Amino acid sequence: QVKLVESGGGLVQPGDSLTLSCAASERTFSSYRVSWFRQAPGKERTFVAGITERDENTYYGDSGKGRFTISRDNVKNMVYLQMTSLKPEDTAVYYCAARAPRSGYSPISVVSEYDYWGQGTQVTVSS
């Protein structure tokens, strides 16, 4: 069982930056695909950004393109989401998700493809 713990959320003003962290308990975390999703009240959980397990390619949803950067530190078993130019519409609970190693194609942006989820961290962008 992999435990994921997010941190770094908070209340910020429009235009501010924030970095979220995801700490994993699994020592082979480098072999897991990891993504960030977010969910606003009354809305579906949506893909924000993802990073693959081996080649560390990064992918972004529409909400993250150009403003967010995902990265990972496999020595520390950490994944980060750097967010810049935050807008009120970025307000949501942000979740870290990990997909266990397995063969076959798996779309990075699909919620059901992930095996483990953190408890989420609230990000509120408001003046």
Side-chain angles (χ1 to χ4, degrees), residues 47-83:
F47 174 75
V48 176
I51 186 164
T52 58
E53 54 275 37
R54 281 182 288 276
D55 48 18
E56 297 191 16
N57 285 335
T58 57
Y59 301 85
Y60 296 92
D62 290 341
S63 60
K65 287 177 183 176
R67 296 187 299 128
F68 297 175
T69 303
I70 188 171
S71 61
R72 66 190 303 163
D73 183 335
N74 289 329
V75 174
K76 297 181 179 179
N77 289 343
M78 298 287 294
V79 173
Y80 305 98
L81 183 69
Q82 295 176 281
M83 304 186 293

Side-chain angles (χ1 to χ4, degrees), residues 94-117:
Y94 284 71
Y95 296 92
C96 176
R99 173 185 176 268
R102 54 180 174 270
S103 59
Y105 172 73
S106 173
I108 199 167
S109 62
V110 176
V111 169
S112 60
E113 291 291 327
Y114 290 84
D115 306 295
Y116 304 102
W117 292 83

